[in-house]
Amino acid sequence: MNNSRNKFVMDKNNIMPGTEWYIDWFASPYYDLLYQYRNSQEAWEFIQRVLTKLEADNGKKILDAGCGNGINTRAMSLMGLDVTGIDISFRLIDEARKMETPNLHFFQHDMRLPFHINYFDIALNLFNSFGYFRTEREHDNVIRTIAQSLKPNGTLVIDYLNTHYAEDNLVKNEKKTVNDVVFHIARWHSATHFYKQIQVEEKGKVLKHLYTERVAKFSPGDFTDMLSYQGMQVADMFGDYNLAPYDIRNSQRMVIFAKKIR
């Protein structure tokens, strides 16, 4: 085979032990470019359905955990809600802070660490903003942080991929062109994680660095156990952004509503 055909083969050896991939990737302008259409009308309609179901009104305080650049967080604040967004990325939070208002607040914060105890009525963790860390304890710490941030009887909504559907429908290779940048994307999975490797080509030149996303696999039972351990009880589970019933094999998403019971 010639070199051009080998140039974009996924490199599983490029996942370096100790590397926090999300810090490097979220700091890259290519992250924004690749995912610039994520904050779509479909996403905002989903958030509106969630808030309507939770009967969120002007008196409610909302936490957006993993808010990114804050576009959806800002949209919630325009509904009259008091919204706080947190994200581990300094770059994304710096961008979000340009939109701050008296009822819209942003903090650079690691979700594994405590934040605003017994303060929020509703906490949102949406669009696969979970499962990035290396250990079970770290993921438990995220649930602990969010659970502690909620008032008694507060509600957490986690929107996560459905592991079984994702395994059955994995697109192994994809090429996506955005403006003048070409993204060569390879996907695979192990028993415990999904991987997405992104090679960037710009103006005919290939970046030497590969970005590799790594997301842990969680089942409904895993989430039930993690939430229960932190005093949360699953109240509802849905399978897509229209809040249709969850089906373990056919639903694309796993949208969990959990109530703080202690």
Side-chain angles (χ1 to χ4, degrees):
M1 292 186 180
N2 60 42
N3 290 335
S4 64
R5 292 188 64 184
N6 284 324
K7 186 165 55 174
F8 304 112
V9 173
M10 64 184 176
D11 179 10
K12 297 182 182 182
N13 295 320
N14 192 59
I15 306 165
M16 295 177 289
T19 299
E20 294 182 320
W21 65 264
Y22 44 88
I23 298 294
D24 189 21
W25 183 213
F26 293 172
S28 168
Y30 296 109
Y31 173 85
D32 286 345
L33 192 63
L34 179 60
Y35 293 128
Q36 64 178 306
Y37 300 112
R38 269 190 168 179
N39 295 317
S40 63
Q41 185 64 27
E42 179 190 26
W44 175 234
E45 289 173 356
F46 164 57
I47 293 172
Q48 289 178 304
R49 290 187 191 99
V50 168
L51 295 176
T52 297
K53 182 173 178 60
L54 295 176
E55 299 181 346
D57 55 32
N58 290 3
K60 296 289 176 69
K61 294 185 182 297
I62 313 285
L63 172 65
D64 187 1
C67 66
N69 63 11
I71 296 297
N72 289 322
T73 320
R74 177 178 181 270
M76 286 187 274
S77 74
L78 295 176
M79 297 173 61
L81 301 166
D82 190 296
V83 193
T84 298
I86 61 174
D87 200 280
I88 200 169
S89 169
F90 285 94
R91 184 183 68 84
L92 293 175
I93 287 297
D94 283 344
E95 183 179 342
R97 280 178 174 153
K98 298 173 185 177
M99 303 182 290
E100 283 190 324
T101 66
N103 67 318
L104 176 61
H105 328 278
F106 292 103
F107 297 90
Q108 187 281 328
H109 188 78
D110 187 330
M111 287 189 288
R112 291 167 289 187
L113 303 176
F115 183 79
H116 283 30
I117 307 298
N118 295 326
Y119 185 80
F120 298 101
D121 300 285
I122 297 167
L124 306 176
N125 183 258
L126 307 179
F127 312 117
N128 291 346
S129 298
F130 189 79
Y132 296 167
F133 303 115
R134 291 186 174 274
T135 66
E136 181 179 344
R137 173 173 287 185
E138 289 174 285
H139 293 121
D140 284 337
N141 287 346
V142 174
I143 299 295
R144 179 201 62 195
T145 291
I146 298 175
Q148 289 181 346
S149 78
L150 286 168
K151 298 176 183 176
N153 297 314
T155 300
L156 163 63
V157 180
I158 297 180
D159 159 44
Y160 206 65
L161 57 84
N162 180 17
T163 295
H164 296 289
Y165 182 90
E167 288 174 341
D168 292 343
N169 295 273
L170 191 71
V171 178
K172 293 184 178 180
N173 293 286
E174 179 184 4
K175 178 180 176 181
K176 185 173 182 179
T177 302
V178 184
N179 299 338
D180 295 325
V181 178
V182 182
F183 296 93
H184 301 269
I185 302 169
R187 299 178 180 89
W188 70 98
H189 67 94
S190 67
T192 58
H193 288 81
F194 289 102
Y195 299 91
K196 180 194 292 186
Q197 193 166 84
I198 300 138
Q199 175 71 77
V200 181
E201 180 183 3
E202 186 171 15
K203 297 179 181 178
K205 296 182 179 180
V206 179
L207 269 64
K208 292 183 179 179
H209 185 68
L210 294 172
Y211 298 100
T212 304
E213 299 181 8
R214 183 186 64 251
V215 178
K217 292 181 177 180
F218 292 110
S219 69
D222 292 330
F223 274 112
T224 297
D225 289 344
M226 286 189 290
L227 290 162
S228 176
Y229 188 73
Q230 302 299 337
M232 304 287 295
Q233 185 176 67
V234 174
D236 280 306
M237 188 177 299
F238 302 96
D240 61 24
Y241 290 157
N242 291 315
L243 301 184
Y246 173 78
D247 181 277
I248 194 169
R249 187 59 64 182
N250 297 314
S251 293
Q252 295 185 33
R253 309 296 302 169
M254 182 166 47
V255 183
I256 299 170
F257 284 62
K259 183 77 70 174
K260 182 175 181 178
I261 58 175
R262 59 176 172 82

